[in-house]
Amino acid sequence: MLKRFIERPVLSTVISVLIVLLGVLGLLKLPIEQYPYISPPTVQVNATYSGANTSAVLNSVIIPLEQQINGVEGMTYMTSTATNTGSANISIFFEVGRDPDQAAVDVQNRISAATGKLPQSVIQNGITVRKQQTSNVLIISVYSDKKDYDQTFLQNYAAINVIPQLQRVSGVGGANVFGNVMTYAMRIWLKPDVMAIYGVTPADVSAALAEQNLNAAPGVFGQNSNQPFQYVITYTGTLVSTNDFGNIIIKSMGNGQYLRLKDIARIELGAQTYTGSTATDGKPSLGIAISQTPGSNAREVIINCKKVIEQAAKLFPDGVKFVYLVDINNFLSASIEKVVHTLIECFLLVFLVILLFLQDVRSTIIHGISVPVSIIGTFFFLYLFGFSVNLLTLFALVLAIGIVVDDAIVVVEAVHAKLEHGYTSPRKAAIDAMREIAPAIISITLVMASVFLPVTFVTGSAGVFYRQFGITLAISIMISALNALTLCPALAAMFLKPPAHIQEDKEGEKMTFGKRFGRAFNAGYNTLVHQYTKGVHFLSKKTWLVFIIILLFAGFFFALMKKTPTSFVPSEDMGTIFVNVTLPPGSTMERV
């Protein structure tokens, strides 16, 4: 079977070309990220109980929801928060690998069973269930140089013109505004002293708002009658201006007089909440945080979001600008670039060493062709397994270069040995050499793969790291074995020649630099081998000394393990500083 690949080099070449093409296709499709996605899927549940304090939100909203959500399939734990502004938030964390879409559906079904226990105003406001990413890949600040555009205007402008476009970018899991909600709202500031004079309570105001500020279907005049025309009844519907709200009738005062809302309250178009503010360089602004969906390409998500915001910025009002506060792409690109440089350097050093020892350009070319096939072909299988291009998989490929080259070296050295022992036909030498070493190549591959494959059974977040690292190495090793059995012997049969260095140099023949260097290197190498052999003979006679050296190294290694700090991933500078200052409870915005 192996003889066929040597006699038909086109077949071997086609197999390798197919592996490279599939690898290139996989590389183009693979997402790029710093580390594998190990964060547990999280579902956020948000509800609003208008006017309620923390205790009311906790007892009326959070506890009923938690009782129903608790125990949902795949859940590990959940946390909840309640505020004095009436907002409730529950975060449900699931096992790593759980489908976030299915998790959100399961949580939504549990919440449906709890709606009967919730206050009516909470149900009217709606309960939001959404997948939540644990980190943001891009944070944008939109700010204004002019006082005419305050934070409320900026947030409403972004909500209409910017955020919807960002949410449509492929791979964006969310485009959320930092801080409190500053969208426009009709603010009704009640005057308690005036209300007390007229005997009006906040409940009366709420009832009047519910009765006189609504949309309805009033019907049609003349429908299904003997009239020649019909008329669709229209009316203003929900109120939109401060004057409309001010004219809402609260109660009749008699004698044709009415108490209106403007008589007992100050009405203005303001922000929905006033519990926070955002500033960039002291100017009013809003922050937009972009998170990605699991499995998406972080680099492409950031690039496409930048295109959207830069295109939208052309239509910004005069004085409104934007700046990138956090851009993970800068750190991601620098990290990946360093690893790629290391990959190239390792690749060049391997072939320099091969050229140095074999002193044969033809042999080096065989390795220069076979190793990239193994490395590039690995990307196709990474795509099939749902992995990504990250620091772990690239680091595995860096190590793989030194491993996959072994198979090619074994083949080339075996063919070289045949040629040095009298073979004049490279094809015959390759066939006989492969007949001898093929079982060894297969056994080497199985042994190396068996070292890395068991890590795929490690569970949890650490298992995700080791799984991608181990499988990447195992795949590249198996592809290199395939190359060693097909492409390498075919190339050796085509390129290798009976070595000229075994022939005696003719007297007076001019010595080239390559020959002088080769002789000097071989002489030095032979001296080193001789010294090494003497050392081995010495240690073989004093086995007690070998055991002492091993024990010393083992003790030194154990001491280093105890003193070296441990961590899941190394700490790295992301180029961003976050500072959190907490004031005593009850502090006002002015104090902050």
Side-chain angles (χ1 to χ4, degrees):
M1 180 65 181
L2 297 178
K3 181 180 178 181
R4 181 176 302 174
F5 292 110
I6 299 173
E7 294 176 342
R8 299 180 181 178
V10 175
L11 176 61
S12 303
T13 305
V14 168
I15 294 175
S16 298
V17 170
L18 180 61
I19 292 175
V20 172
L21 290 177
L22 291 176
V24 171
L25 292 176
L27 179 60
L28 295 176
K29 292 289 185 178
L30 280 172
I32 301 175
E33 52 192 4
Q34 182 184 2
Y35 291 114
Y37 190 79
I38 61 171
S39 300
T42 308
V43 175
Q44 293 279 355
V45 178
N46 295 302
T48 302
Y49 190 5
S50 301
N53 57 20
T54 302
S55 299
V57 173
L58 180 64
N59 297 323
S60 302
V61 181
I62 289 182
I63 291 179
L65 288 176
E66 283 187 343
Q67 290 175 345
Q68 289 295 331
I69 295 172
N70 188 34
V72 65
E73 183 180 358
M75 187 192 86
T76 55
Y77 66 96
M78 62 180 170
T79 61
S80 59
T81 57
T83 66
N84 278 324
T85 57
S87 63
N89 175 268
I90 301 176
S91 300
I92 305 99
F93 298 86
F94 291 83
E95 298 173 350
V96 176
R98 181 85 162 96
D99 184 2
D101 294 315
Q102 185 60 47
V105 172
D106 293 341
V107 171
Q108 183 66 64
N109 293 336
R110 292 294 187 100
I111 291 175
S112 300
T115 52
K117 302 178 182 179
L118 300 176
Q120 190 63 33
S121 62
V122 175
I123 300 175
Q124 289 176 349
N125 291 329
I127 302 174
T128 304
V129 179
R130 61 186 177 88
K131 299 175 293 182
Q132 175 68 36
Q133 301 302 310
T134 56
S135 60
N136 300 311
V137 296
L138 184 66
I139 300 179
I140 308 165
S141 174
V142 180
Y143 64 95
S144 172
D145 287 333
K146 294 185 176 181
K147 296 182 179 180
D148 298 338
Y149 303 131
D150 57 7
Q151 188 178 351
T152 306
F153 171 85
L154 293 174
Q155 188 166 118
N156 281 270
Y157 182 87
I160 297 172
N161 301 285
V162 180
I163 294 178
Q165 298 183 53
L166 292 172
Q167 291 172 333
R168 290 194 294 268
V169 174
S170 177
V172 170
N176 305 312
V177 174
F178 263 112
N180 62 314
V181 180
M182 296 288 291
T183 53
Y184 282 122
M186 194 62 64
R187 304 292 303 191
I188 300 174
W189 304 96
L190 299 177
K191 301 175 181 178
D193 53 345
V194 180
M195 293 173 63
I197 295 175
Y198 291 104
V200 177
T201 64
D204 297 331
V205 177
S206 298
L209 288 170
E211 292 176 358
Q212 303 176 46
N213 180 36
L214 76 164
N215 275 319
V220 180
F221 284 127
Q223 189 176 30
N224 195 23
S225 63
N226 295 327
Q227 300 297 325
F229 298 101
Q230 66 181 24
Y231 180 76
V232 177
I233 303 174
T234 60
Y235 81 116
T236 55
T238 53
L239 309 178
V240 295
S241 66
T242 55
N243 290 333
D244 294 337
F245 278 90
N247 289 324
I248 289 179
I249 297 175
I250 303 299
K251 59 188 272 189
S252 174
M253 304 296 295
N255 299 323
Q257 295 182 345
Y258 298 96
L259 179 66
R260 301 182 184 274
L261 184 60
K262 61 185 178 181
D263 299 326
I264 59 171
R266 176 171 57 87
I267 306 168
E268 66 176 4
L269 182 63
Q272 185 172 343
T273 60
Y274 292 96
T275 57
S277 64
T278 307
T280 300
D281 292 336
K283 303 169 185 176
S285 65
L286 80 151
I288 304 174
I290 308 295
S291 60
Q292 66 177 118
T293 57
S296 59
N297 191 324
R299 183 173 179 274
E300 290 185 358
V301 170
I302 294 173
I303 291 175
N304 292 334
C305 287
K306 284 185 174 181
K307 290 180 180 178
V308 169
I309 191 69
E310 288 167 3
Q311 185 66 28
K314 297 178 181 179
L315 302 177
F316 280 178
D318 186 30
V320 176
K321 302 176 182 178
F322 76 95
V323 63
Y324 299 116
L325 300 181
V326 174
D327 183 359
I328 301 300
N329 212 17
N330 295 334
F331 177 79
L332 180 63
S333 298
S335 301
I336 299 296
E337 183 181 356
K338 288 295 183 183
V339 179
V340 171
H341 285 172
T342 304
L343 192 65
I344 296 173
E345 291 166 1
C346 179
F347 186 82
L348 295 176
L349 285 174
V350 165
F351 296 114
L352 179 62
V353 172
I354 293 172
L355 180 61
L356 193 63
F357 278 85
L358 295 183
Q359 299 168 24
D360 183 12
V361 177
R362 292 174 180 268
S363 301
T364 309
I365 291 175
I366 296 176
H367 299 88
I369 296 174
S370 60
V371 173
V373 173
S374 303
I375 299 300
I376 297 175
T378 306
F379 289 109
F380 174 69
F381 293 93
L382 295 183
Y383 175 72
L384 291 183
F385 282 108
F387 294 165
S388 62
V389 177
N390 54 66
L391 298 184
L392 270 297
T393 52
L394 289 177
F395 178 57
L397 292 177
V398 171
L399 295 183
I401 290 179
I403 298 175
V404 301
V405 76
D406 291 344
D407 291 330
I409 289 176
V410 169
V411 173
V412 174
E413 281 291 334
V415 178
H416 260 288
K418 293 294 182 183
L419 293 174
E420 289 179 350
H421 284 82
Y423 279 74
T424 57
S425 172
R427 175 174 295 184
K428 177 64 176 173
I431 293 174
D432 290 348
M434 292 306 299
R435 190 177 292 117
E436 297 174 1
I437 66 171
I441 292 176
I442 295 174
S443 62
I444 290 173
T445 303
L446 294 178
V447 169
M448 294 297 295
S450 64
V451 172
F452 298 106
L453 286 180
V455 299
T456 61
F457 299 103
V458 179
T459 59
S461 299
V464 177
F465 272 55
Y466 292 122
R467 187 178 303 118
Q468 297 207 13
F469 179 80
I471 290 181
T472 301
L473 270 172
I475 290 173
S476 61
I477 291 170
M478 287 186 281
I479 295 177
S480 72
L482 178 62
N483 279 335
L485 297 174
T486 57
L487 182 64
C488 287
L491 293 177
M494 294 172 60
F495 292 158
L496 295 186
K497 302 294 182 183
H501 63 269
I502 65 175
Q503 302 174 2
E504 294 292 337
D505 293 322
K506 296 179 181 179
E507 186 177 354
E509 183 180 354
K510 185 177 179 180
M511 293 288 291
T512 63
F513 173 78
K515 288 186 177 182
R516 289 197 301 270
F517 177 81
R519 281 193 169 188
F521 178 82
N522 291 335
Y525 180 72
N526 292 333
T527 303
L528 180 64
V529 171
H530 179 68
Q531 295 297 328
Y532 174 75
T533 305
K534 288 175 61 178
V536 171
H537 281 300
F538 172 78
L539 292 176
S540 64
K541 296 177 181 179
K542 300 182 182 296
T543 54
W544 58 269
L545 181 60
V546 175
F547 283 110
I548 291 177
I549 294 174
I550 292 175
L551 290 176
L552 288 175
F553 271 101
F556 182 66
F557 177 69
F558 181 77
L560 286 179
M561 286 184 60
K562 288 295 184 180
K563 291 188 175 182
T564 303
T566 59
S567 63
F568 183 56
V569 293
S571 299
E572 296 180 279
D573 184 7
M574 302 291 290
T576 306
I577 296 177
F578 292 92
V579 180
N580 183 31
V581 180
T582 303
L583 271 68
S587 300
T588 63
M589 273 294 298
E590 285 73 17
R591 181 178 181 183
V592 174

